[in-house]
Amino acid sequence: MRKIALLCTLACALLLLGDMAQAQTPVPPSPTLAPPTYTPYPTYTPYPQPTATPTFFQRTEKEIPFWLAGLVGLIGVVLGFILKPVFEKLGKAIARGLGKLGSGWGFRKRYLTHLIEEYRGLNIRGLKTKAPVTVELEQVYVSLRAQVPDAALGRQEPPALDVGQAMAQHERLVILGGPGTGKTTLLAYLTLTYARGQARERLGTGLKENRLPIFVPLRQLKKVLNGEDGKGTLPSYLTGWYTELGMRPREGFFEQVLSHGRCLVLLDGLDEVADAQERRLMSEWVDRLVTVYPRNRYVVTSRPPGYDSAPLENGFTVLHIRDFTAQEIRQFATNWCLAVEMAAQGADNPTARRRATSWTRCASAAGCWSKWGPGCTRSLT
């Protein structure tokens, strides 16, 4: 310890002596400046030539040593070799994701086109015409109006709601009506409207939404109750159904859109499930469907007796279809005559409109308006 202390003391002394010697070193006097000399004419100084700007590689050579650049390059090669499988898997995953996205949009387009073609024509089975015609549903449709059950039974008379108003106020509806009152035609019109993306224009500003329509007759879902479709769920049924039609739905498409709450689910004819026990099971199945996919919009139709024996309990509002008023009957008759004449003429031309007006006037003069009321709509649904 003494030796170490002695060495430290000696080192400090040497440093102190060095500082003292440096402080005693005399400072040389500054040189005397010579007086300026007079030059009668300025001398010519050539303009300096611009120097070239060094390139990136030239600057790199001066700023980064060659050994460091080589080391960085070697590390990059090694990392690229090690991470090559990871990048390959990542690229394949991105490609699969983009492929699924493309196939999903492709099926959605095919699906909406199918719905438009399927429901654009009015179902006129059982109606006799002079020649086969295809009547466009959108040309003849008159919006149905509905009331709460007590109002429909005459106990009170609050204002009736059209379909757009009812849907704007309630996301889950049960529409009750007698045979031929237009329940199936209503769901077909809603399917067509949403497939065309025209809910706001046709149903009112209260429905600013773009949902995917799903129209299913409940009588076709018996195998879902029995689990014959594999899982007993609506997505699996729809996937199997449209696969049979050759439309190649992407796996998980309906599950995804239902889970995200992007659908308008239209379930037609609860009363058409004939067996009472199966009807009650179907009602329970619909309630579970709403519980699993609660963010979608639902409309269920039925005749009153069939619904009374198997009511829905998951927040559905029940409305009864009201009969046409005299004005609505005239509107339907006018639309019907014009649509038939346009179908016969093949276009909307003055001849078709003149003949349609003539038919409408004849019906009015003969006092046939009552035949164009609910009875007429019953023959068309």
PDB file of all heavy atoms in Angstrom, residues 59-79:
ATOM      1  N   ARG A  59     -18.214  10.069 -50.651  1.00  0.00           N
ATOM      2  CA  ARG A  59     -18.373  10.475 -49.253  1.00  0.00           C
ATOM      3  C   ARG A  59     -18.342   9.268 -48.330  1.00  0.00           C
ATOM      4  O   ARG A  59     -17.805   9.320 -47.218  1.00  0.00           O
ATOM      5  CB  ARG A  59     -19.703  11.224 -49.076  1.00  0.00           C
ATOM      6  CG  ARG A  59     -19.746  12.558 -49.801  1.00  0.00           C
ATOM      7  CD  ARG A  59     -20.904  13.426 -49.278  1.00  0.00           C
ATOM      8  NE  ARG A  59     -22.166  12.723 -49.340  1.00  0.00           N
ATOM      9  CZ  ARG A  59     -22.990  12.770 -50.381  1.00  0.00           C
ATOM     10  NH1 ARG A  59     -22.646  13.473 -51.463  1.00  0.00           N
ATOM     11  NH2 ARG A  59     -24.131  12.123 -50.355  1.00  0.00           N
ATOM     12  N   THR A  60     -18.947   8.161 -48.762  1.00  0.00           N
ATOM     13  CA  THR A  60     -18.975   6.957 -47.939  1.00  0.00           C
ATOM     14  C   THR A  60     -17.572   6.432 -47.688  1.00  0.00           C
ATOM     15  O   THR A  60     -17.243   5.969 -46.590  1.00  0.00           O
ATOM     16  CB  THR A  60     -19.848   5.893 -48.607  1.00  0.00           C
ATOM     17  OG1 THR A  60     -21.146   6.425 -48.826  1.00  0.00           O
ATOM     18  CG2 THR A  60     -19.944   4.648 -47.735  1.00  0.00           C
ATOM     19  N   GLU A  61     -16.704   6.510 -48.737  1.00  0.00           N
ATOM     20  CA  GLU A  61     -15.341   6.012 -48.587  1.00  0.00           C
ATOM     21  C   GLU A  61     -14.572   6.808 -47.518  1.00  0.00           C
ATOM     22  O   GLU A  61     -13.723   6.274 -46.808  1.00  0.00           O
ATOM     23  CB  GLU A  61     -14.613   6.111 -49.926  1.00  0.00           C
ATOM     24  CG  GLU A  61     -15.129   5.101 -50.961  1.00  0.00           C
ATOM     25  CD  GLU A  61     -14.426   5.266 -52.301  1.00  0.00           C
ATOM     26  OE1 GLU A  61     -13.595   6.186 -52.396  1.00  0.00           O
ATOM     27  OE2 GLU A  61     -14.720   4.495 -53.226  1.00  0.00           O
ATOM     28  N   LYS A  62     -14.874   8.114 -47.420  1.00  0.00           N
ATOM     29  CA  LYS A  62     -14.164   8.942 -46.442  1.00  0.00           C
ATOM     30  C   LYS A  62     -14.756   8.822 -45.052  1.00  0.00           C
ATOM     31  O   LYS A  62     -14.039   8.897 -44.055  1.00  0.00           O
ATOM     32  CB  LYS A  62     -14.203  10.415 -46.882  1.00  0.00           C
ATOM     33  CG  LYS A  62     -13.441  10.665 -48.181  1.00  0.00           C
ATOM     34  CD  LYS A  62     -13.514  12.140 -48.557  1.00  0.00           C
ATOM     35  CE  LYS A  62     -12.741  12.422 -49.846  1.00  0.00           C
ATOM     36  NZ  LYS A  62     -12.824  13.862 -50.217  1.00  0.00           N
ATOM     37  N   GLU A  63     -16.131   8.704 -44.989  1.00  0.00           N
ATOM     38  CA  GLU A  63     -16.798   8.736 -43.696  1.00  0.00           C
ATOM     39  C   GLU A  63     -16.913   7.361 -43.049  1.00  0.00           C
ATOM     40  O   GLU A  63     -16.976   7.253 -41.829  1.00  0.00           O
ATOM     41  CB  GLU A  63     -18.193   9.346 -43.852  1.00  0.00           C
ATOM     42  CG  GLU A  63     -18.141  10.790 -44.337  1.00  0.00           C
ATOM     43  CD  GLU A  63     -19.532  11.333 -44.650  1.00  0.00           C
ATOM     44  OE1 GLU A  63     -20.500  10.583 -44.425  1.00  0.00           O
ATOM     45  OE2 GLU A  63     -19.645  12.490 -45.086  1.00  0.00           O
ATOM     46  N   ILE A  64     -17.071   6.282 -43.844  1.00  0.00           N
ATOM     47  CA  ILE A  64     -17.258   4.935 -43.315  1.00  0.00           C
ATOM     48  C   ILE A  64     -16.069   4.074 -43.730  1.00  0.00           C
ATOM     49  O   ILE A  64     -15.772   3.954 -44.923  1.00  0.00           O
ATOM     50  CB  ILE A  64     -18.556   4.307 -43.848  1.00  0.00           C
ATOM     51  CG1 ILE A  64     -19.751   5.184 -43.476  1.00  0.00           C
ATOM     52  CG2 ILE A  64     -18.748   2.901 -43.302  1.00  0.00           C
ATOM     53  CD1 ILE A  64     -21.064   4.674 -44.012  1.00  0.00           C
ATOM     54  N   PRO A  65     -15.412   3.488 -42.821  1.00  0.00           N
ATOM     55  CA  PRO A  65     -14.281   2.609 -43.176  1.00  0.00           C
ATOM     56  C   PRO A  65     -14.763   1.398 -43.990  1.00  0.00           C
ATOM     57  O   PRO A  65     -15.908   0.951 -43.856  1.00  0.00           O
ATOM     58  CB  PRO A  65     -13.745   2.184 -41.800  1.00  0.00           C
ATOM     59  CG  PRO A  65     -14.290   3.174 -40.825  1.00  0.00           C
ATOM     60  CD  PRO A  65     -15.585   3.625 -41.380  1.00  0.00           C
ATOM     61  N   PHE A  66     -13.842   0.912 -44.824  1.00  0.00           N
ATOM     62  CA  PHE A  66     -14.196  -0.242 -45.664  1.00  0.00           C
ATOM     63  C   PHE A  66     -14.546  -1.465 -44.836  1.00  0.00           C
ATOM     64  O   PHE A  66     -15.453  -2.228 -45.177  1.00  0.00           O
ATOM     65  CB  PHE A  66     -13.027  -0.559 -46.619  1.00  0.00           C
ATOM     66  CG  PHE A  66     -12.928   0.391 -47.764  1.00  0.00           C
ATOM     67  CD1 PHE A  66     -11.925   1.342 -47.805  1.00  0.00           C
ATOM     68  CD2 PHE A  66     -13.847   0.350 -48.810  1.00  0.00           C
ATOM     69  CE1 PHE A  66     -11.832   2.232 -48.853  1.00  0.00           C
ATOM     70  CE2 PHE A  66     -13.750   1.237 -49.872  1.00  0.00           C
ATOM     71  CZ  PHE A  66     -12.751   2.182 -49.893  1.00  0.00           C
ATOM     72  N   TRP A  67     -13.870  -1.660 -43.738  1.00  0.00           N
ATOM     73  CA  TRP A  67     -14.132  -2.862 -42.936  1.00  0.00           C
ATOM     74  C   TRP A  67     -15.529  -2.833 -42.319  1.00  0.00           C
ATOM     75  O   TRP A  67     -16.205  -3.862 -42.222  1.00  0.00           O
ATOM     76  CB  TRP A  67     -13.076  -3.006 -41.832  1.00  0.00           C
ATOM     77  CG  TRP A  67     -13.127  -1.923 -40.785  1.00  0.00           C
ATOM     78  CD1 TRP A  67     -12.442  -0.758 -40.783  1.00  0.00           C
ATOM     79  CD2 TRP A  67     -13.929  -1.935 -39.595  1.00  0.00           C
ATOM     80  NE1 TRP A  67     -12.741  -0.013 -39.670  1.00  0.00           N
ATOM     81  CE2 TRP A  67     -13.651  -0.723 -38.918  1.00  0.00           C
ATOM     82  CE3 TRP A  67     -14.808  -2.846 -39.031  1.00  0.00           C
ATOM     83  CZ2 TRP A  67     -14.251  -0.397 -37.710  1.00  0.00           C
ATOM     84  CZ3 TRP A  67     -15.406  -2.526 -37.823  1.00  0.00           C
ATOM     85  CH2 TRP A  67     -15.138  -1.316 -37.186  1.00  0.00           C
ATOM     86  N   LEU A  68     -16.014  -1.562 -41.955  1.00  0.00           N
ATOM     87  CA  LEU A  68     -17.350  -1.465 -41.379  1.00  0.00           C
ATOM     88  C   LEU A  68     -18.420  -1.713 -42.438  1.00  0.00           C
ATOM     89  O   LEU A  68     -19.430  -2.392 -42.184  1.00  0.00           O
ATOM     90  CB  LEU A  68     -17.531  -0.083 -40.747  1.00  0.00           C
ATOM     91  CG  LEU A  68     -18.878   0.171 -40.046  1.00  0.00           C
ATOM     92  CD1 LEU A  68     -19.103  -0.870 -38.952  1.00  0.00           C
ATOM     93  CD2 LEU A  68     -18.932   1.580 -39.467  1.00  0.00           C
ATOM     94  N   ALA A  69     -18.215  -1.171 -43.641  1.00  0.00           N
ATOM     95  CA  ALA A  69     -19.171  -1.409 -44.718  1.00  0.00           C
ATOM     96  C   ALA A  69     -19.250  -2.895 -45.065  1.00  0.00           C
ATOM     97  O   ALA A  69     -20.327  -3.450 -45.298  1.00  0.00           O
ATOM     98  CB  ALA A  69     -18.791  -0.589 -45.946  1.00  0.00           C
ATOM     99  N   GLY A  70     -18.108  -3.539 -45.098  1.00  0.00           N
ATOM    100  CA  GLY A  70     -18.111  -4.970 -45.376  1.00  0.00           C
ATOM    101  C   GLY A  70     -18.833  -5.771 -44.313  1.00  0.00           C
ATOM    102  O   GLY A  70     -19.549  -6.733 -44.601  1.00  0.00           O
ATOM    103  N   LEU A  71     -18.631  -5.350 -43.039  1.00  0.00           N
ATOM    104  CA  LEU A  71     -19.301  -6.055 -41.947  1.00  0.00           C
ATOM    105  C   LEU A  71     -20.816  -5.916 -42.050  1.00  0.00           C
ATOM    106  O   LEU A  71     -21.567  -6.880 -41.854  1.00  0.00           O
ATOM    107  CB  LEU A  71     -18.802  -5.499 -40.610  1.00  0.00           C
ATOM    108  CG  LEU A  71     -19.434  -6.117 -39.353  1.00  0.00           C
ATOM    109  CD1 LEU A  71     -19.144  -7.620 -39.305  1.00  0.00           C
ATOM    110  CD2 LEU A  71     -18.908  -5.423 -38.098  1.00  0.00           C
ATOM    111  N   VAL A  72     -21.282  -4.689 -42.376  1.00  0.00           N
ATOM    112  CA  VAL A  72     -22.723  -4.470 -42.529  1.00  0.00           C
ATOM    113  C   VAL A  72     -23.281  -5.327 -43.671  1.00  0.00           C
ATOM    114  O   VAL A  72     -24.345  -5.939 -43.562  1.00  0.00           O
ATOM    115  CB  VAL A  72     -23.019  -2.973 -42.755  1.00  0.00           C
ATOM    116  CG1 VAL A  72     -24.495  -2.760 -43.115  1.00  0.00           C
ATOM    117  CG2 VAL A  72     -22.654  -2.165 -41.529  1.00  0.00           C
ATOM    118  N   GLY A  73     -22.567  -5.378 -44.782  1.00  0.00           N
ATOM    119  CA  GLY A  73     -23.018  -6.207 -45.904  1.00  0.00           C
ATOM    120  C   GLY A  73     -23.086  -7.673 -45.541  1.00  0.00           C
ATOM    121  O   GLY A  73     -24.023  -8.382 -45.922  1.00  0.00           O
ATOM    122  N   LEU A  74     -22.066  -8.155 -44.787  1.00  0.00           N
ATOM    123  CA  LEU A  74     -22.066  -9.553 -44.374  1.00  0.00           C
ATOM    124  C   LEU A  74     -23.245  -9.862 -43.463  1.00  0.00           C
ATOM    125  O   LEU A  74     -23.904 -10.899 -43.592  1.00  0.00           O
ATOM    126  CB  LEU A  74     -20.749  -9.864 -43.660  1.00  0.00           C
ATOM    127  CG  LEU A  74     -20.588 -11.297 -43.120  1.00  0.00           C
ATOM    128  CD1 LEU A  74     -20.661 -12.295 -44.283  1.00  0.00           C
ATOM    129  CD2 LEU A  74     -19.280 -11.443 -42.354  1.00  0.00           C
ATOM    130  N   ILE A  75     -23.536  -8.924 -42.537  1.00  0.00           N
ATOM    131  CA  ILE A  75     -24.685  -9.127 -41.641  1.00  0.00           C
ATOM    132  C   ILE A  75     -25.988  -9.186 -42.441  1.00  0.00           C
ATOM    133  O   ILE A  75     -26.870 -10.000 -42.164  1.00  0.00           O
ATOM    134  CB  ILE A  75     -24.733  -8.007 -40.580  1.00  0.00           C
ATOM    135  CG1 ILE A  75     -23.534  -8.114 -39.644  1.00  0.00           C
ATOM    136  CG2 ILE A  75     -26.041  -8.061 -39.781  1.00  0.00           C
ATOM    137  CD1 ILE A  75     -23.433  -6.967 -38.658  1.00  0.00           C
ATOM    138  N   GLY A  76     -26.112  -8.326 -43.467  1.00  0.00           N
ATOM    139  CA  GLY A  76     -27.315  -8.345 -44.296  1.00  0.00           C
ATOM    140  C   GLY A  76     -27.492  -9.658 -45.026  1.00  0.00           C
ATOM    141  O   GLY A  76     -28.596 -10.198 -45.114  1.00  0.00           O
ATOM    142  N   VAL A  77     -26.390 -10.200 -45.564  1.00  0.00           N
ATOM    143  CA  VAL A  77     -26.467 -11.487 -46.266  1.00  0.00           C
ATOM    144  C   VAL A  77     -26.894 -12.602 -45.315  1.00  0.00           C
ATOM    145  O   VAL A  77     -27.752 -13.428 -45.631  1.00  0.00           O
ATOM    146  CB  VAL A  77     -25.119 -11.814 -46.924  1.00  0.00           C
ATOM    147  CG1 VAL A  77     -25.138 -13.241 -47.500  1.00  0.00           C
ATOM    148  CG2 VAL A  77     -24.820 -10.819 -48.021  1.00  0.00           C
ATOM    149  N   VAL A  78     -26.318 -12.614 -44.125  1.00  0.00           N
ATOM    150  CA  VAL A  78     -26.645 -13.654 -43.152  1.00  0.00           C
ATOM    151  C   VAL A  78     -28.107 -13.548 -42.722  1.00  0.00           C
ATOM    152  O   VAL A  78     -28.827 -14.553 -42.655  1.00  0.00           O
ATOM    153  CB  VAL A  78     -25.709 -13.556 -41.927  1.00  0.00           C
ATOM    154  CG1 VAL A  78     -26.155 -14.522 -40.829  1.00  0.00           C
ATOM    155  CG2 VAL A  78     -24.269 -13.843 -42.338  1.00  0.00           C
ATOM    156  N   LEU A  79     -28.570 -12.313 -42.435  1.00  0.00           N
ATOM    157  CA  LEU A  79     -29.976 -12.135 -42.030  1.00  0.00           C
ATOM    158  C   LEU A  79     -30.929 -12.521 -43.152  1.00  0.00           C
ATOM    159  O   LEU A  79     -31.986 -13.131 -42.912  1.00  0.00           O
ATOM    160  CB  LEU A  79     -30.224 -10.681 -41.609  1.00  0.00           C
ATOM    161  CG  LEU A  79     -29.601 -10.249 -40.284  1.00  0.00           C
ATOM    162  CD1 LEU A  79     -29.865  -8.768 -40.029  1.00  0.00           C
ATOM    163  CD2 LEU A  79     -30.149 -11.085 -39.124  1.00  0.00           C
TER     164      LEU A  79
END
